[in-house]
Amino acid sequence: MKPGKMLPWHRQRILLLLGVALLVAAPPLFGYGATPVSPQDARQEFALLSARLRRNPHDVTVLNSLGILYARAGQLNDAIVLWNRALTINPRYIHLYNNLGSALKAQGRVEEAVRVYHAGLAITPSFWIFYNLGLLEKDRGRYREAAQCFRECLRQNPRFEAAAQKLEDLGYVLASQQAGAGIPFKPPTSLENLSLTILERMEGEEGESGEGAAPRPAGAPSDTRRPWRAGGGAELPVTMTVEACAAYLEKMAQGAPTRLVALTFDDGPHPAITPRLLDLLQANGAKGTFFVLGSRAESYPDLLERMAREGHEVGNHSWNHKSLVRQGMAAARADLLRAAATIEAYTNQPCRLVRPPYGHTNAEVREMIHRLGWAHIMWDADSRDWQLSDANQILARTLRKTSPGAVLLFHDIHPGVLRVLPVLLPALRQCGYRFVTVSELIRLQGSRS
Ligand SMILES: [Zn+2]
C-alpha cells in the first residue's frame, strides 16, 4: 500500500472496536482501575509492561511508562496513582515529576502541580520542568515568575526555542534570539497520539521504502563511487552463515580500502526489542543511529539515556509518525521541534538528524529541515524487516545494497532485526567494516572527498 492511502473508514472502525472489545475482556490489573482503553498495539505494550510489573512491582521505569499509557487513554486518575506510587519507591526518578505535574495541571489541581514541579526542580534543574512550570505560572497570571522559569529553561537548554517564544510573548525581547513558531507542548493526556500511530502504521509503513529511492545523507559527497548494481555481480549465499555473508560483502566492496557502514533503527524505542538490540550492538562493539519517535521517547526515557550513554546517536523520526508532507510545513516544523526537544531532554545531546516518517519527503520538507540546521537522512539499504518474517530474506535484501558508505535501515519495533544482526554484524566486521553513526559517516565521507 502506498503512503498516501488510508484504510477505509469502516475498517478503521472495526479495528478500533476490536481493540476496545479485547480490552474490556481483559482482567483488571493491580486494583488501580480498569485497563486503559486504547487501540491494539498499545494494548500489547500494556500487557508487556504489566507482566513486568507483576514480576517486579518496584520497577519505577515500568510504573512511569504504564502511567503514560493510562494518561494517553484519558485515565488520568490511574496514571496519577501509578506515578505517586513510583515516587514513593524512587523519589529521584526525575521523569515522574514532569508527568505527574502535567496530569495534575490537566485536572485543574494547580497548587499540587506547582508543588510537584518544585519538588522535581529541587532534584534536577530539568528544562522541561522549568518550561512546564513557566506555562502554569503564566496561566495563572504570575508573569514575572513565568518569565523567570522560561529564562531558567533557556539557561539549561539554549536551543529550546519554545521557551524563547514564550518569553517574547511576555514582552521580553531576547538579544540574538530568532524564536520560531514554538513547540506545542502537551502533557501526555491525549488518546489522539495512540490511535493515530496504530492506524497510520498499519497502512502506511509499507511506503517507507521504494526500489531505487535511496537518496544520500545530506552533506554526504555524491561521488563515492559505490557499486550500485544490485548484487554487484556477486551471487547471494544460499545458506546465510557469517562466512558466506562476509564473502558476498567482500565482492560487493570491490576492494575498497575504507569500509564504513551506518546502522539505523527507526520507530522505537520498544520496551522489549530495543534493550536486546542495544545488548547485541554492545556485544559486537557496534555503534548505531536510532531514529526515534518523540512520543515513544517520552514513554521510555531510560532507553534514550542508555542509547546516548553507550555512544549511539539519536535522531528525530517525528513526534508520532505522521507524514511531514501531509501535515503541512508549519505543523511539520512544530512536530519535529517538539520531538527534538523531548529527545534532547533525555539524551542530553543535540538532536540534529531527521528521517521523515515513511521516507515521505519533498523539496519543501528538505528545506524546512535544513533551515533548522539539521540534516535530512534517508537510507541506502532497506532491510524490509517490518514486512518480511523470514530472517534469510531480510538478510538477503540488506546484503544486496550494502557496500562501503551505506546507510542500513532496520526497525527496532519488529523482532526481525534481532534475528538478522547476529549474522550481519560479525560478517561486516570480518569484511573490514567499521560501524559508525550517521553523523560520523557524513563527517568522514565529507573529509574524504
Ligand atoms: Zn518509520
Side-chain angles (χ1 to χ4, degrees):
M1 218 180 292
K2 288 285 170 236
K5 283 191 196 160
M6 287 291 288
L7 278 178
W9 171 234
H10 66 275
R11 278 191 60 199
Q12 293 190 15
R13 275 189 63 177
I14 289 169
L15 288 165
L16 255 181
L17 287 171
L18 188 69
V20 171
L22 284 164
L23 280 170
V24 170
L29 284 133
F30 355 99
Y32 289 127
T35 316
V37 175
S38 49
Q40 200 165 350
D41 77 335
R43 192 178 62 85
Q44 286 167 0
E45 210 151 305
F46 177 80
L48 193 148
L49 291 171
S50 46
R52 279 191 187 174
L53 194 64
R54 282 198 200 92
R55 283 200 297 276
N56 177 8
H58 298 286
D59 190 329
V60 170
T61 66
V62 171
L63 286 166
N64 180 49
S65 305
L66 268 174
I68 290 175
L69 279 186
Y70 272 111
R72 286 183 182 160
Q75 293 173 228
L76 282 181
N77 284 330
D78 295 315
I80 288 169
V81 168
L82 286 178
W83 289 330
N84 270 322
R85 178 175 152 191
L87 274 178
T88 63
I89 297 167
N90 181 2
R92 297 197 65 80
Y93 192 74
I94 192 69
H95 312 299
L96 294 165
Y97 293 93
N98 220 353
N99 292 333
L100 186 56
S102 295
L104 290 167
K105 182 186 165 190
Q107 286 197 330
R109 295 156 70 178
V110 173
E111 292 300 332
E112 285 173 83
V114 169
R115 277 203 297 278
V116 166
Y117 285 144
H118 278 292
L121 289 174
I123 290 166
T124 301
S126 147
F127 78 90
W128 260 139
I129 299 185
F130 275 122
Y131 182 69
N132 284 321
L133 182 58
L135 292 181
L136 203 156
E137 296 289 23
K138 182 168 172 260
D139 282 354
R140 55 182 193 160
R142 289 159 50 98
Y143 300 118
R144 262 169 46 134
E145 289 79 359
Q148 190 54 35
C149 287
F150 295 136
R151 269 202 216 91
E152 277 302 320
C153 171
L154 282 170
R155 230 161 54 91
Q156 301 299 327
N157 181 359
R159 295 182 303 273
F160 193 54
E161 68 174 71
Q165 181 65 52
K166 293 292 172 202
L167 265 180
E168 250 188 35
D169 293 348
L170 287 169
Y172 294 85
V173 179
L174 292 176
S176 77
Q177 218 24 277
Q178 276 188 315
I183 297 166
F185 176 77
K186 290 182 208 160
T189 53
S190 150
L191 188 59
E192 52 141 26
N193 291 343
L194 287 172
S195 53
L196 283 173
T197 309
I198 286 128
L199 293 174
E200 283 195 4
R201 179 159 303 134
M202 286 171 69
E203 57 86 20
E205 196 70 51
E206 295 173 55
E208 184 148 292
S209 50
E211 291 295 335
R216 314 268 334 124
S222 54
D223 61 338
T224 42
R225 290 177 293 279
R226 283 200 275 126
W228 271 111
R229 284 168 289 137
E235 279 198 26
L236 278 166
V238 180
T239 316
M240 295 282 182
T241 61
V242 171
E243 284 68 28
C245 291
Y248 178 83
L249 286 165
E250 187 59 52
K251 286 185 192 144
M252 290 283 287
Q254 299 188 341
T258 308
R259 299 178 183 188
L260 305 175
V261 67
L263 308 164
T264 67
F265 309 98
D266 287 11
D267 295 1
H270 184 280
I273 294 169
T274 309
R276 290 174 61 196
L277 173 58
L278 286 164
D279 292 345
L280 254 175
L281 293 172
Q282 197 170 41
N284 285 276
K287 305 286 179 237
T289 304
F290 290 83
F291 287 95
V292 303
L293 300 180
S295 58
R296 299 193 63 82
E298 186 177 65
S299 293
Y300 303 104
D302 302 82
L303 287 173
L304 265 83
E305 283 165 20
R306 181 173 169 196
M307 287 169 190
R309 194 170 59 242
E310 296 180 0
H312 304 292
E313 186 165 20
V314 184
N316 188 341
H317 197 41
S318 83
W319 180 257
N320 208 27
H321 219 273
K322 277 191 200 167
S323 159
L324 300 175
V325 174
R326 276 196 263 159
Q327 283 191 64
M329 283 317 102
R333 184 179 184 279
D335 177 313
L336 292 176
L337 282 168
R338 181 183 180 201
T342 304
I343 293 164
E344 290 184 355
Y346 304 138
T347 60
N348 205 21
Q349 51 186 236
C351 174
R352 295 205 183 96
L353 307 176
V354 179
R355 172 170 283 158
Y358 315 109
H360 202 186
T361 188
N362 60 22
E364 256 190 315
V365 167
R366 275 202 182 79
E367 196 192 319
M368 180 263 290
I369 288 168
H370 292 157
R371 273 170 185 270
L372 285 163
W374 298 337
H376 177 280
I377 306 297
M378 301 293 273
W379 58 85
D380 299 309
D382 177 2
S383 66
R384 293 245 160 192
D385 55 350
W386 52 269
Q387 182 189 42
L388 302 167
S389 53
D390 183 81
N392 282 342
Q393 283 182 22
I394 300 173
L395 205 43
R397 273 201 68 98
T398 313
L399 287 173
R400 274 205 296 265
K401 295 282 179 69
T402 301
S403 55
V407 176
L408 275 45
L409 168 65
F410 299 96
H411 295 81
D412 57 331
I413 55 167
H414 300 286
V417 67
L418 299 176
R419 297 204 296 271
V420 167
L421 291 196
V423 176
L424 184 63
L425 295 183
L428 282 163
R429 182 170 296 288
Q430 200 168 311
C431 190
Y433 275 93
R434 194 151 71 79
F435 304 104
V436 292
T437 63
V438 168
S439 286
E440 282 175 313
L441 183 69
I442 294 171
R443 191 166 48 81
L444 294 169
Q445 283 194 336
S447 66
R448 266 194 325 173
S449 63

